[in-house]
Every structure is written in C-alpha cells, then in structure tokens.
C-alpha cells in the first residue's frame, strides 16, 4: 500500500451527537436479520468526542463514564470507521484514536454510532480526503444503521434499517428532554430478538406510522408531540429489564409530558414542556433513586463536525480534550 504522508503533528478532533427516537416503529424481522423501521430521530446536545492522530502503532483509548466497557480493539466502531477510510485513501499510516464518552454506553442513544460518525469526519479531514456529507453518510451506512443519522444530526425520518434519512426541516423547535440512564446496559440485538419473541408469543400493540408525530413536530406544541411519541422496542426493553417501569413511572409522576425508553434502551427519555420543567423533573428523578444518572438535554442538535481550533494542533494531549 502506498504511504502518502501527512504533516507531522497533525491531529483532528470531531464531535457527534447522541440521538433519541421520538418514534420507533419496528416491522417484522427480515431475511438478513434486520428489521424495517419507520423512525423519527432527533439529535441531542450530548456529544461524543473523537481525536485521530498519527502514531507509532494503531491504538484506541477511551475516557469518560463507563469507558472500561468500551472495546479498544478493531471492533470498536470508531476504529472500524478509521480503518474504512484509511483503506479507501490507500494509506497505511498507524493512527491513534482517543474517544471521550459523553453519551451513555449501551444506553440506546447511539453512543457507539456517534463515535463512528465523529471518527469518519475526523479521519476524512486528517487524511485530506474531502468527502461530501452524502459520501460520508454512505460510508456510515456500511458501518451501522444509526451512524448516518449521527453524521447528519437535526431531526430526520429514518426508514430501511434506519439508514435511509429524510431531514424534517420543519422540526426545528427546541425540545427539552430529561435523560435517565439505568444501572447496566442492554445489547441492541438482544432487544430486537426479545421483541420477535414477544410477538411470536402474542399479539403486541404496534405504534404504527409516524404521521401524527411528524405533523405534531411542525405545530410546536410539546403536549401534542408527547402524545404522539412511541417506541415498539419499549415492551422488549421492559421485558429484559423490568425495573425500567419504575423509572418511567417516576418520570411521569414528576410532571413531565411523556416518557419513553430511548431506542433499544435502557436509557429513558422524558419530553418536557420547557427548560425549567425539565430541570425540576430531573431533580425529582435524581432524588427518586430509580436510575443511575439524570441530565437535561435539548435538541435538535447539529451533526458530526470537526471542532474549530482542534485541527493540526499537536500540543492538544488527549487529557486536554476531556
Ligand atoms: O446496524 P447496527 O449494527 O447498529 O445494528 C445492531 C443490531 O441491531 C443488528 O445486528 C440487529 O440485531 C439489530 N437491528 C435490527 N434492525 C435494525 C437495526 C438494528 O434488527 N433496523
């Protein structure tokens, strides 16, 4: 493989957002093991930060909450993203990847997908590839279903296995969400399998299409948005982790509009009418002892992007980026 050189000391840091699924309708399992989805993604202002720099050898390091649970071999989604672009660029330069977690690990908020999205954007810049957003999203779809959305951000309708996106430009009103993380995580494939098992056992209610929510996102009324939110994976997450019922109940009782399990869980997301209500709900939930951590987030947030001033800045040590 040719060895194109890049300037010594080069270094790029990029961030990518967490997502919640305001609506997640899951179809039956397909021949390839995936499920057709109709989902409304919204990016939240919780960020994964990924720095890529030339090094003596390929290495992945991770900092932040539950960092020890994140793999540091080449199965790490950020490493897979770096490997994909480096091969495409025809380079064999060893690269160090440093990830700072700002999104719960195994929480149903696309933390790993955001790592891949940020790594794609950072590596594209570091290697001078100049890929367009569309080209980055195409590479993202090869790596995982939620990764194109983490590249794009905003609010979007997702179909296919979640990778086919249509941005919902009218959904620009700021929404406040209380995010409650659970003790322990859930593996996404296990939650989908549990839904298949439950559906084989009995008729399960389905949230249906996203028309109601898509309309509601336009009129700006948080109560209408809350009333049309839904997640087919919620029953499966609750079946695998029954204590989540308590978290959902406590959040509802704290006076918010509506709470759902986020994606495949176990993080719960409570939509609130405004920032003050969100703060009050978060304090009450924190005191109720029904979750591991609570925080207020808002959306829609932007997509993956290089951090200004974090480019070609060799004096930035990973510790400084936390
Ligand atoms: O695409 P990604 O690697 O993120 O998906 C992780 C797992 O989640 C898949 O292997 C599959 O078990 C499940 N999944 C699914 N249907 C989807 C998306 C994910 O069954 N649309």
């Amino acid at each position: 493989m040719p060895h194109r050189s890049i300037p010594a000391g080069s270094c790029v840091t990029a961030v990518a957002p967490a997502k919640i699924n305001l609506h997640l309708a899951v179809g039956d399992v397909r021949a390839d093991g995936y499920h057709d989805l109709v989902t409304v993604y919204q990016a939240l202002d919780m960020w994964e930060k990924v720095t890529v720099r030339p090094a003596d050898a390929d290495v992945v390091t991770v900092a932040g909450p539950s960092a020890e649970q994140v793999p540091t071999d080449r199965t790490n989604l950020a490493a897979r993203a770096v490997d994909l672009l480096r091969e495409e660029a025809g380079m064999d330069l060893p690269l160090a990847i440093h990830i700072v977690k700002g999104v719960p690990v195994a929480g149903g908020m696309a933390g790993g997908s955001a790592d891949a999205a940020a790594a794609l954007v950072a590596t594209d810049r570091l290697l001078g590839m100049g890929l367009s957003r569309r080209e980055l999203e195409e590479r993202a779809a090869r790596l995982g279903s939620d990764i194109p959305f983490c590249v794009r951000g905003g609010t979007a309708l997702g179909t296919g296995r979640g990778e086919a996106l249509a941005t919902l430009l009218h959904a620009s009103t700021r929404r406040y969400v209380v995010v409650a993380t659970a003790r322990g995580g859930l593996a996404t494939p296990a939650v989908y399998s549990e839904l298949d098992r439950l559906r084989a056992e009995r008729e399960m209610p389905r949230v249906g299409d996203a028309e109601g929510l898509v309309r509601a996102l336009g009129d700006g009324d948080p109560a209408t948005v809350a009333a049309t939110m839904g997640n087919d994976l919620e029953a499966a997450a609750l079946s695998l982790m029954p204590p989540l019922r308590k978290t959902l109940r406590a959040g509802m009782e704290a006076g918010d509009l509506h709470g759902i399990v986020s994606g495949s869980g176990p993080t719960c997301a409570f939509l609130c009418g405004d920032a003050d209500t969100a703060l009050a709900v978060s304090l009450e939930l924190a005191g109720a002892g029904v979750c591991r951590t609570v925080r207020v987030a808002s959306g829609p947030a932007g997509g993956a992007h290089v951090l200004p001033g974090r480019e070609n800045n060799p004096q930035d040590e990973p510790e400084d980026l936390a």
Side-chain angles (χ1 to χ4, degrees):
M1 207 179 270
H3 191 307
R4 201 158 17 116
S5 67
I6 59 173
S10 299
C11 162
V12 179
T13 296
V15 293
K19 60 84 184 163
I20 53 168
N21 303 82
L22 296 172
H23 183 95
L24 179 51
V26 181
D28 294 325
V29 65
R30 310 190 312 203
D32 64 1
Y34 283 90
H35 298 71
D36 277 320
L37 307 181
V38 176
T39 188
V40 175
Y41 291 108
Q42 183 153 84
L44 296 183
D45 57 356
M46 296 168 69
W47 301 93
E48 293 285 283
K49 200 183 301 189
V50 176
T51 300
V52 184
R53 71 177 77 213
D56 295 334
D58 281 339
V59 61
V60 178
T61 50
V62 187
S66 304
E68 71 288 349
Q69 292 172 28
V70 178
T72 53
D73 60 14
R74 300 321 280 179
T75 65
N76 181 294
L77 275 172
R80 292 186 52 211
V82 166
D83 291 349
L84 181 74
L85 291 198
R86 182 171 50 186
E87 194 177 324
E88 185 174 332
M91 296 177 89
D92 57 4
L93 175 75
L95 295 170
I97 303 167
H98 183 65
I99 300 169
V100 181
K101 303 295 298 176
V103 180
V105 175
M109 298 190 74
S113 297
D115 291 342
L120 282 174
V121 168
T123 308
D124 169 67
R125 183 68 64 87
L126 184 76
L127 303 186
M129 296 174 75
L131 296 174
S132 66
R133 297 306 280 192
R134 182 185 289 267
E135 287 168 334
L136 286 167
E137 286 182 18
E138 188 277 321
R139 271 74 175 165
R142 288 191 231 161
L143 295 168
S145 308
D146 290 336
I147 303 173
F149 179 72
C150 293
V151 170
R152 187 178 297 198
T155 310
L157 185 69
T159 52
R161 51 188 177 88
E163 87 292 2
L165 300 176
T167 291
L168 299 174
L169 283 173
H170 70 295
S172 57
T173 306
R174 183 138 302 276
R175 311 273 170 202
Y176 296 90
V177 180
V178 174
V179 173
T181 66
R183 296 182 186 88
L186 284 173
T188 305
V191 180
Y192 276 98
S193 299
E194 180 66 1
L195 180 62
D196 295 338
R197 193 188 68 76
L198 291 171
R199 283 177 170 173
E201 222 174 63
R202 60 179 186 276
E203 194 63 35
M204 301 284 292
R206 297 191 184 221
V207 296
D209 66 38
E211 263 176 49
L213 175 72
V214 170
R215 245 194 326 269
L217 284 171
D219 74 14
D221 174 6
T224 316
V225 173
T228 49
M229 283 167 36
N231 178 5
D232 277 339
L233 287 179
E234 184 166 300
L238 291 173
S239 168
L240 292 173
M241 206 183 261
L244 287 179
R245 281 182 203 286
K246 270 194 192 155
T247 315
L248 285 176
R249 205 175 313 126
M252 311 279 199
E253 283 169 7
D256 80 300
L257 296 168
H258 190 58
I260 51 171
V261 168
S262 169
S264 55
T267 303
C268 293
F270 301 93
L271 185 71
C272 296
D274 55 44
D276 288 345
T277 311
L279 185 62
V281 169
S282 72
L283 291 174
E284 196 152 333
L285 258 182
V290 290
C291 44
R292 188 164 58 87
T293 62
V294 186
R295 57 165 293 181
V296 176
S298 70
H305 59 275
V306 170
L307 281 189
R310 295 293 195 182
E311 221 177 324
N312 297 328
N313 200 353
Q315 64 268 34
D316 273 346
E317 287 309 315
E319 292 70 37
D320 299 334
L321 303 172

